[in-house]
Amino acid sequence: MVDEFVIASEKYGSGSLERKYRLSTESGDVERIGRKRETISARVNQFFKSAFLPQGYPESVSKDYLEYQVWDTMQAFCSSITGTLATQAMLKGYGVGDENATALAATMTWILRSGTGMVGSILFAWIQGSNLDCNAKKWRLFADILNDASILLEMLSPIFKAYFTLLACMSSISKAIVGVAGGATRAAMTQHQARRDNMADVAAKDGSQETLVNLLALVSGLLITPMVSGNVGLTWTLFFVFTFLHLYANFRAVSSVIMETINIPRLHILVTEFLTSGLIMTPQEVSSREPVIFGVGTGESLKIHLGTEFTSVVKSAADFDAALPSSKQCQYIMKLDLSKKRNSGSIHVVLHEDSSAFDHLQSCFQACVLDYVLRTRPSSRKVLIDSDGSQRALEALHNFWWYEKRQPMDCSWDLVALAHNFTIQAFPTFAKGLGEAGWITSRTHLGPDEWRAVWNVKRLEMKKGI
C-alpha cells in the first residue's frame, strides 16, 4: 500500500540509495522522509564505487565486466611485481653500482633500446593492426605472454653482460609489441563492456583501477626489493611464482569475456553446431568453446581469405563462368583451392563493392559449410528443416564429396555450387537464429581485406540464358 503522505520516491541506479519525499504540513515545501545520517563505511563505499566503477554500474556495462576486471586487476598486480624485479636487474645491467661503468655507455644502450622499441611498435602495427579487432581475446593473452617473456629477458640481461645490449633491445621490441597489442585490445574490450555509449567512462575507470593496483604494487615493491637484493634464489622464485599467477589470471580474464560479435573461429563453432544439431548457440555457449591461445583452433581445415583480389578466384574464362553467382543479388564469388593434403586448403572470396556486413557473414557461412563437409562424414540423422530444402541440399553436398567425387582437385567448382545452393536455403534460418540467440549481425569481426569488385551482369544473364 502506497503511503498517502509520500509524493515521490527515487533511487540512485540499482543501488540501495533510496529517498522518499512529502510536502511539509507547515510550509508546504518538499522535505525528505526518514533522513538518516550516512555512516562512514557507507560514505567510503560510495566513494570507491564512484571513483573506480563506471556510472550506472552494473546496468551500464556488460554482464562479464566484474569477473573480467577482478582477474585483470590480479594480473596487473603480478605484472607490476615482476616488473619491479626486472627493473632492479636492468639497473645492474646499465652499470649502477659498477665503478667501471660510464654514463656514456649507459646512455648509448638506453638510446638503442628505445629506438628498437619504436621501430618494433611501428612494424607490428603495420603487419597485424587489422587483425587485433578480429581476435581481441587471443591478442590480449598473447600480449601478456610476450610481456612476461620481455621481463625474463631483462632478468637474464645482467647475467649475460656480453649480450646485455642485444637482450635489452629484444626486450624493448617485445614490450613495444605488448604496448600496441595490449592497448588496441584494451580498446576492443572497453567497446564490448560499454553498454550506454559510455566508452570514455569505462576506459577512465579502468585506468583508475589499474593506477590503484600499480600503487599497491609499488608499495609491495618497496618491501620486496630489500628482501631480494643480493638473494638470487629468492628473486627467481618470486619471479616464477608471480609470472605463473600473471598468466593464469590473464587466461581467466580473457576466457570470461563473452563477445556478441562474430569472428571466424566463433562462426566455425556456430556453423558446426548448426549443421550437427540444427541449433544456434548463444554467445555464452560459444565463449566456453572459443580458443584464446594462438595455435589452438576449432578444428577447421580450410583457411578463409575474405575480400581478396579478383584474380585469386578468376584466372580464365572457364573460371569466370564457373564462379558467377546464380543470381544478381549475390554479392560475392568464391573459389575453393584444395591442397594435396586430404581435406585441407583455402577459400578465396571476392566481395562486390555493394556488399554489406550481412553479405560478408553469408559468404563466410558458405565457406564454413564447405569446411564442415570436407572434414565430417555424412550422417543419417536429419537436423535441418526439410520444408525449405536445406536438409536435402546438405545431403547432396555431403554425398557428392564423400561418395560421388572422382578427382578431388577437379571438383572444387561443383562443391562451391552445391554449397551455394545449400546457403541460399539455410542461411536465412541461420541468420534469424543468430539474432534470437543474442548475436550482433549488423557488424562483424570477420576481418575482410579491402579489395572490392564489380562483375559483368550481362555475362551472368547470358549464363542463365536470359
Side-chain angles (χ1 to χ4, degrees):
M1 183 176 179
V2 180
D3 190 341
E4 61 181 357
F5 295 103
V6 175
I7 63 169
S9 63
E10 65 181 0
K11 62 179 182 178
Y12 191 81
S14 61
S16 59
L17 185 58
E18 186 175 0
R19 294 173 179 173
K20 294 181 179 180
Y21 300 94
R22 70 181 178 184
L23 293 176
S24 172
T25 55
E26 298 178 357
S27 63
D29 295 336
V30 176
E31 61 180 19
R32 280 180 58 184
I33 300 174
R35 180 190 294 268
K36 295 181 180 180
R37 187 173 182 179
E38 294 181 351
T39 62
I40 295 178
S41 61
R43 291 181 180 180
V44 171
N45 181 59
Q46 184 61 32
F47 165 75
F48 274 97
K49 185 175 181 180
S50 301
F52 298 104
L53 293 175
Q55 183 176 348
Y57 172 87
E59 287 82 6
S60 61
V61 293
S62 59
K63 293 180 180 180
D64 54 22
Y65 177 84
L66 182 60
E67 184 179 359
Y68 173 80
Q69 292 302 128
V70 168
W71 288 112
D72 189 56
T73 298
M74 180 178 174
Q75 69 86 17
F77 179 82
C78 295
S79 180
S80 295
I81 296 298
T82 54
T84 300
L85 299 175
T87 299
Q88 186 180 29
M90 288 297 291
L91 289 175
K92 289 182 180 179
Y94 280 119
V96 175
D98 186 356
E99 295 180 355
N100 297 322
T102 63
L104 177 61
T107 302
M108 294 299 293
T109 303
W110 183 271
I111 292 173
L112 286 172
R113 182 174 182 268
S114 300
T116 52
M118 294 175 186
V119 174
S121 64
I122 293 173
L123 291 177
F124 178 76
W126 168 54
I127 296 171
Q128 292 292 348
S130 59
N131 294 327
L132 298 177
D133 276 315
C134 301
N135 294 291
K137 294 168 70 172
K138 285 185 177 181
W139 281 112
R140 181 70 180 171
L141 185 58
F142 170 83
D144 287 295
I145 294 174
L146 190 60
N147 180 67
D148 288 334
S150 67
I151 292 176
L152 177 61
L153 289 174
E154 292 178 348
M155 296 283 290
L156 293 172
S157 59
I159 299 176
F160 302 96
K161 291 185 178 180
Y163 303 98
F164 174 77
T165 302
L166 175 62
L167 292 174
C169 290
M170 291 175 61
S171 172
S172 180
I173 293 173
S174 299
K175 286 196 170 183
I177 294 174
V178 170
V180 175
T185 54
R186 183 181 293 273
M189 296 294 180
T190 302
Q191 184 183 33
H192 159 71
Q193 292 172 338
R195 294 304 161 100
R196 289 184 179 175
D197 294 327
N198 56 339
M199 277 189 62
D201 184 30
V202 173
K205 298 303 169 58
D206 182 66
S208 297
Q209 294 169 21
E210 186 169 352
T211 301
L212 178 62
V213 171
N214 289 335
L215 181 60
L216 294 175
L218 183 64
V219 174
S220 301
L222 291 174
L223 300 175
I224 291 175
T225 302
M227 294 170 53
V228 302
S229 181
N231 192 332
V232 178
L234 182 58
T235 299
W236 282 102
T237 300
L238 288 176
F239 169 75
F240 284 116
V241 168
F242 280 104
T243 297
F244 171 78
L245 292 174
H246 176 248
L247 293 175
Y248 176 74
N250 269 294
F251 177 79
R252 291 295 301 271
V254 296
S255 297
S256 69
V257 176
I258 303 172
M259 293 286 194
E260 295 91 359
T261 51
I262 298 175
N263 63 3
I264 295 296
R266 292 178 206 127
L267 185 59
H268 271 294
I269 296 172
L270 284 164
V271 172
T272 299
E273 184 65 26
F274 177 69
L275 299 179
T276 303
S277 66
L279 301 176
I280 304 294
M281 300 173 68
T282 64
Q284 187 171 4
E285 291 171 336
V286 171
S287 179
S288 64
R289 298 190 191 180
E290 181 184 3
V292 294
I293 301 175
F294 282 110
V296 179
T298 56
E300 65 271 15
S301 57
L302 298 176
K303 184 173 178 58
I304 301 174
H305 302 277
L306 186 62
T308 61
E309 297 175 336
F310 184 77
T311 51
S312 64
V313 173
V314 178
K315 294 181 172 63
S316 65
D319 286 347
F320 187 53
D321 289 334
L324 281 177
S326 59
S327 65
K328 297 180 182 179
Q329 287 73 33
C330 190
Q331 301 295 328
Y332 63 89
I333 56 177
M334 70 169 56
K335 182 180 182 181
L336 171 63
D337 288 326
L338 293 171
S339 64
K340 294 182 179 179
K341 184 179 178 181
R342 181 172 176 79
N343 301 350
S344 64
S346 59
I347 297 178
H348 298 271
V349 183
V350 175
L351 297 172
H352 195 276
E353 67 174 7
D354 296 329
S355 62
S356 63
F358 194 76
D359 298 311
H360 301 174
L361 182 60
Q362 179 176 331
S363 66
C364 288
F365 171 83
Q366 182 175 332
C368 290
V369 168
L370 281 168
D371 180 272
Y372 174 82
V373 168
L374 264 61
R375 59 185 169 84
T376 309
R377 285 190 171 276
S379 172
S380 58
R381 189 160 61 101
K382 298 183 183 297
V383 296
L384 301 179
I385 302 172
D386 241 343
S387 59
D388 61 7
S390 56
Q391 181 67 46
R392 293 189 298 275
L394 179 61
E395 291 174 357
L397 176 58
H398 242 142
N399 292 333
F400 176 79
W401 171 249
W402 287 97
Y403 304 129
E404 299 175 19
K405 64 181 172 56
R406 299 193 185 332
Q407 296 293 330
M409 302 296 291
D410 299 329
C411 69
S412 60
W413 289 119
D414 295 321
L415 282 168
V416 171
L418 289 170
H420 182 68
N421 182 49
F422 170 75
T423 300
I424 293 174
Q425 306 296 331
F427 183 72
T429 302
F430 179 78
K432 182 181 178 182
L434 289 177
E436 294 173 349
W439 292 96
I440 298 173
T441 56
S442 58
R443 56 184 174 86
T444 65
H445 282 147
L446 298 172
D449 205 347
E450 294 301 311
W451 291 103
R452 298 295 182 272
V454 179
W455 40 85
N456 195 329
V457 179
K458 291 184 178 180
R459 182 87 177 191
L460 174 60
E461 292 174 349
M462 291 172 60
K463 179 183 176 183
K464 295 172 66 177
I466 299 176

